[in-house]
Amino acid sequence: MKAISYASYGDPSVLEYGDLPMPKVGPGSVLIRVKAAAVNPVDWKIMGGYLDPLMDISFPAVPGWDVSGIIERVGIDVPEFAPGDEVIAYGRTDTVRGGSFAEYMALPASIVARKPQSLDWEQAAGLPLAGLTAYQVLNRLELHAGETVLIHGGAGGVGTLGIQVAKAKGARVIATASPRNHELLRSLGAEPVAYGEGLPARVLELAPDGVDVVADFVGGVVADTVAVLKDGGRHASIADASVEEHGGTWMWARPVGADLQELADLADAGKVTVNVAKVFPLQEAAAAFALNMEGHTAGKIALRIE
Ligand SMILES: NC(=O)c1ccc[n+]([C@@H]2O[C@H](COP(=O)([O-])OP(=O)(O)OC[C@H]3O[C@@H](n4cnc5c(N)ncnc54)[C@H](OP(=O)(O)O)[C@@H]3O)[C@@H](O)[C@H]2O)c1
């Protein structure tokens, strides 16, 4: 099969497009013919070697944890899926090896969900990792209707989905982004504020008593979080371990098929959509990584696999 892979850690110049063996499909797993993959910062952080203390890797490694596609074949004892089913997954496995930047990807059926009909292939690929992250963080923080949440990083992949999940829960959402993304945030139902110097004052102008919950999808903003949180408020970060020193929770999204199915159902109920900023062909994965590395994507970057 055709795939993007790298044989050693490095920057996007280590990526190669070529032929790799088809993945094997173990008991309880499915083989997905990939229609689209989405880019996440974790993909190039792994490629750069930054996660080596946490994760085993087997070279050549195919990057990509986000996938949408069609079931080509099922392994032994997979009653829940059949060839032809349209699916999505947050395809993180314990060893980094067979990712979604390829024509085929094998994954445990337990982390796969059915593709929302309301999303096209590229949007569907952008839902799992970012969507599950936002969903699991807001569930862990027990955000509920009538509460006010501040989302740091409202315009990113996780942030755009986090705003919508929080709105679906009936919360009031204040979210940070640079001014050029404020209209996007408003269209998703959030009240936008610019990040940087003076952020707490801007938030407290909108919510004078402080906010009930803060979800940090950027990192490096814990002082702002603490400054706007009500007494007894809850907060978590996906990008800053130091929140634990301030009573917050440091979280890593887990690939859970049941959570992903709930999120897919929210999409089909019209409550969640995916903003795709740019689509690249598979061969241009290096350009897709370079764009994501700039850190100012509004929504998701996707790869289309023809
Ligand atoms: N722990 C986990 O499970 C987990 C899961 C997913 C992601 N992450 C991490 O979370 C971070 C965000 O991921 P992502 O996929 O959402 O990334 P992304 O889509 O690349 O995020 C880009 C966005 O960040 C915004 N941004 C940059 N600096 C900001 C700041 N100081 N304040 C507010 N917004 C800012 C940019 O908005 P502007 O263009 O308006 O500046 C841009 O829209 C990454 O570090 C990623 O590795 C962790």
Side-chain angles (χ1 to χ4, degrees):
M1 65 168 183
K2 295 291 184 205
I4 293 286
S5 66
Y6 52 94
S8 62
Y9 288 135
D11 65 16
S13 68
V14 299
L15 293 171
E16 287 175 33
Y17 177 75
D19 289 302
L20 284 181
M22 287 285 285
K24 294 177 184 168
V25 191
S29 288
V30 297
L31 182 68
I32 300 169
R33 178 154 59 83
V34 181
K35 297 287 288 182
V39 175
N40 289 284
V42 75
D43 298 320
W44 48 261
K45 290 180 185 178
I46 294 170
M47 183 179 72
Y50 304 111
L51 274 66
D52 194 66
L54 299 184
M55 286 177 193
D56 287 318
I57 188 162
S58 169
F59 295 116
V62 177
W65 281 352
D66 260 338
V67 61
S68 67
I70 300 170
I71 302 264
E72 179 83 5
R73 193 153 64 79
V74 297
I76 299 163
D77 191 16
V78 182
E80 62 270 59
F81 292 111
D85 288 349
E86 297 184 352
V87 294
I88 55 174
Y90 164 26
R92 186 183 101 202
T93 50
D94 286 344
T95 299
V96 178
R97 183 164 166 268
S100 58
F101 292 14
E103 289 179 315
Y104 293 91
M105 183 184 199
L107 286 174
S110 60
I111 64 171
V112 175
R114 288 176 191 277
K115 172 186 167 286
Q117 295 301 310
S118 55
L119 303 183
D120 65 27
W121 291 110
E122 288 78 26
Q123 290 176 307
L127 183 67
L129 193 159
L132 274 179
T133 303
Y135 188 73
Q136 291 174 356
V137 167
L138 296 172
N139 282 351
R140 182 85 72 89
L141 290 171
E142 298 181 1
L143 177 68
H144 56 259
E147 287 191 312
T148 300
V149 57
L150 169 68
I151 292 181
H152 290 290
V158 181
T160 48
L161 285 154
I163 290 169
Q164 297 173 82
V165 171
K167 292 298 289 184
K169 286 178 178 288
R172 177 187 178 199
V173 183
I174 299 170
T176 67
S178 53
R180 73 194 155 89
N181 285 324
H182 284 191
E183 204 41 56
L184 169 67
L185 266 55
R186 269 189 212 103
S187 74
L188 299 173
E191 296 164 56
V193 286
Y195 56 79
E197 187 72 30
L199 172 61
R202 290 190 287 280
V203 173
L204 292 171
E205 202 172 308
L206 294 173
D209 297 332
V211 301
D212 303 288
V213 167
V214 178
D216 167 24
F217 298 146
V218 173
V221 289
V222 70
D224 290 340
T225 292
V226 171
V228 301
L229 201 59
K230 277 182 187 166
D231 280 351
R234 295 96 68 198
H235 69 107
S237 178
I238 60 166
D240 188 347
S242 79
V243 289
E244 301 209 311
E245 294 156 28
H246 301 271
T249 307
W250 158 233
M251 284 189 66
W252 257 76
R254 292 187 188 176
V256 178
D259 283 2
L260 184 55
Q261 196 59 60
E262 287 176 18
L263 201 54
D265 293 346
L266 275 181
D268 274 341
K271 298 192 167 166
V272 168
T273 191
V274 177
N275 190 74
V276 177
K278 187 149 179 155
V279 179
F280 291 85
L282 177 63
Q283 292 89 325
E284 292 176 22
F289 268 7
L291 182 61
N292 192 241
M293 289 165 88
E294 290 175 11
H296 293 288
T297 312
K300 298 298 303 176
I301 295 168
L303 296 176
R304 184 177 293 147
I305 290 87
E306 304 287 0

